[in-house]
């Protein structure tokens, strides 16, 4: 079980579409078999089981609501990218989990990430867990609290998620992310040219600290600010910037795929022509 933390965004729409593996729809209702878990306060927010039939667009709007309710909420460094997105993937040979097991996994990861606090059912941060693709669970949350304060994720959030993932593997009898003997350290090898180039591409595609992630975040932030301006021109410009941000995200994914291909043992950079010396007779 491998957790992955995505770069934060202004809108949950693209992360939710990625979690579903298809575009958002205003017609398709998502049942409890897809949205397998959510923040406990939703039971107080909507009566009965109304939320169980929401469409993917309505779920996205639900996660966007804190932006409208608290338009000035921001992080200590004035960051308005409040949508947190993480996913976990099972080992290819793992068994399929049941709905309750996916739900338990979602709540445990939410607590590890610090977006669900036990005993605060009516309060907290809006989040949902989506299980729409095989062996994958996505968790999306808005870091703006119901009272308008900003929730800064723990600095060691990845370590907490990884630690909780190991515990979940043990409790559910899943295959650990890494197997094999650990008593003998692996021999240190000199990275090949392909591995070095793969490392460069990986840094470029990094969702957290890569230069493209920074550019994409600035574009998304600009789109959000322009969308708040009155007039159709601002809306059109914001839409174009959103498309640019999506293209940047696609480039990041392409670079990540290329880096993984280069890092494979069988892939090597083309060898330079070999020069041979000719002996005169």
């Amino acid at each position: 079980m491998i957790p992955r933390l995505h770069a934060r965004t202004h809108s949950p729409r693209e992360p939710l579409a990625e979690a579903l593996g298809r575009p958002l729809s205003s017609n398709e209702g998502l049942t409890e078999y897809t949205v397998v878990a959510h923040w406990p306060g939703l039971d107080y927010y909507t009566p009965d089981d109304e939320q169980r039939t929401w469409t993917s667009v309505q779920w996205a709007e639900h996660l966007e609501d804190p932006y409208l309710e608290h338009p000035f909420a921001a992080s200590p460094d004035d960051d308005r990218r409040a949508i947190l997105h993480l996913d976990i993937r099972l080992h290819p040979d793992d068994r399929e989990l049941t709905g309750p097991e996916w739900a338990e996994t979602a709540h445990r990861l939410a607590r590890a990430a610090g977006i669900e606090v036990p005993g605060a059912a009516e309060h907290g941060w809006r989040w949902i867990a989506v299980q729409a693709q095989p062996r994958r669970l996505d968790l999306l949350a808005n870091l703006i609290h119901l009272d308008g304060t900003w929730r800064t994720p723990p600095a060691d959030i990845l370590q907490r998620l990884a630690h909780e993932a190991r515990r979940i593997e043990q409790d559910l009898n899943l295959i650990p992310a890494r197997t094999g003997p650990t008593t003998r350290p692996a021999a240190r090898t000199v990275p090949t040219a392909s591995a070095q180039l793969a490392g460069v591409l990986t840094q470029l595609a990094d969702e957290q600290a890569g230069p493209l992630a920074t550019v994409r975040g600035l574009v998304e932030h600009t789109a959000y600010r322009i969308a708040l301006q009155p007039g159709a021109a601002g809306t059109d410009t914001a839409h174009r910037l959103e498309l640019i941000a999506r293209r940047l995200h696609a480039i990041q994914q392409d670079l990540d795929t290329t880096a993984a291909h280069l890092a494979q043992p069988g892939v090597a950079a083309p060898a330079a022509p070999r020069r041979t010396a000719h002996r005169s007779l």
Side-chain angles (χ1 to χ4, degrees), residues 12 26 29 35 45 50 52 60 80 87 102 105 107 123 125 149 176 183 186 196 210 222-223 234 240-241 267 275-276:
S26 58
V35 181
Y45 183 84
E50 178 188 338
R52 295 180 184 274
R80 284 276 290 173
D87 70 71
W102 279 123
T105 298
H107 281 284
H123 311 286
W125 299 265
T149 58
T183 54
Q196 292 175 346
T222 304
R240 288 202 302 271
L241 288 173
V267 177
R275 300 181 61 183
T276 58

Side-chain angles (χ1 to χ4, degrees), residues 19-102:
L20 293 170
R22 57 185 182 274
L24 302 189
S25 170
S26 58
N27 299 317
E28 177 192 9
L30 301 182
T31 69
E32 66 270 23
Y33 298 105
T34 300
V35 181
V36 295
H38 52 71
W39 62 295
L42 186 59
D43 294 331
Y44 296 85
Y45 183 84
T46 53
D48 303 325
D49 290 335
E50 178 188 338
Q51 74 276 6
R52 295 180 184 274
T53 59
W54 283 359
T55 66
S56 53
V57 169
Q58 289 175 315
W59 278 113
E61 291 172 345
H62 175 68
L63 290 174
E64 285 176 329
D65 280 348
Y67 277 119
L68 304 177
E69 297 172 359
H70 306 287
F72 301 107
S75 69
D77 56 354
D78 200 29
D79 187 354
R80 284 276 290 173
R81 291 176 296 171
I83 302 301
L84 179 76
H85 177 204
L86 65 93
D87 70 71
I88 57 120
R89 303 177 190 231
L90 301 183
H91 190 281
D93 296 327
D94 260 324
R95 63 179 176 83
E96 291 290 342
L97 299 187
T98 65
E101 287 174 330
W102 279 123

Side-chain angles (χ1 to χ4, degrees), residues 191-216:
T192 64
S194 293
Q196 292 175 346
L197 293 173
V200 173
L201 296 182
T202 299
Q203 292 178 10
L204 289 174
D206 192 309
E207 289 277 1
Q208 299 301 314
L212 288 178
T214 301
V215 173
R216 180 179 157 208

Side-chain angles (χ1 to χ4, degrees), residues 73-156:
S75 69
D77 56 354
D78 200 29
D79 187 354
R80 284 276 290 173
R81 291 176 296 171
I83 302 301
L84 179 76
H85 177 204
L86 65 93
D87 70 71
I88 57 120
R89 303 177 190 231
L90 301 183
H91 190 281
D93 296 327
D94 260 324
R95 63 179 176 83
E96 291 290 342
L97 299 187
T98 65
E101 287 174 330
W102 279 123
E104 176 190 348
T105 298
H107 281 284
R108 291 176 63 169
L109 291 175
R111 288 193 290 270
I115 58 174
E116 179 175 301
V117 179
E122 313 94 305
H123 311 286
W125 299 265
R126 299 188 184 193
W127 65 268
I128 63 172
V130 176
Q131 205 285 299
Q133 302 185 59
R135 305 180 185 280
R136 170 172 170 163
L137 179 74
D138 289 75
L139 193 148
L140 292 84
N142 194 313
L143 298 179
I144 300 176
H145 193 275
L146 295 184
D147 62 7
T149 58
W150 181 279
R151 172 66 174 181
T152 300
D156 60 344

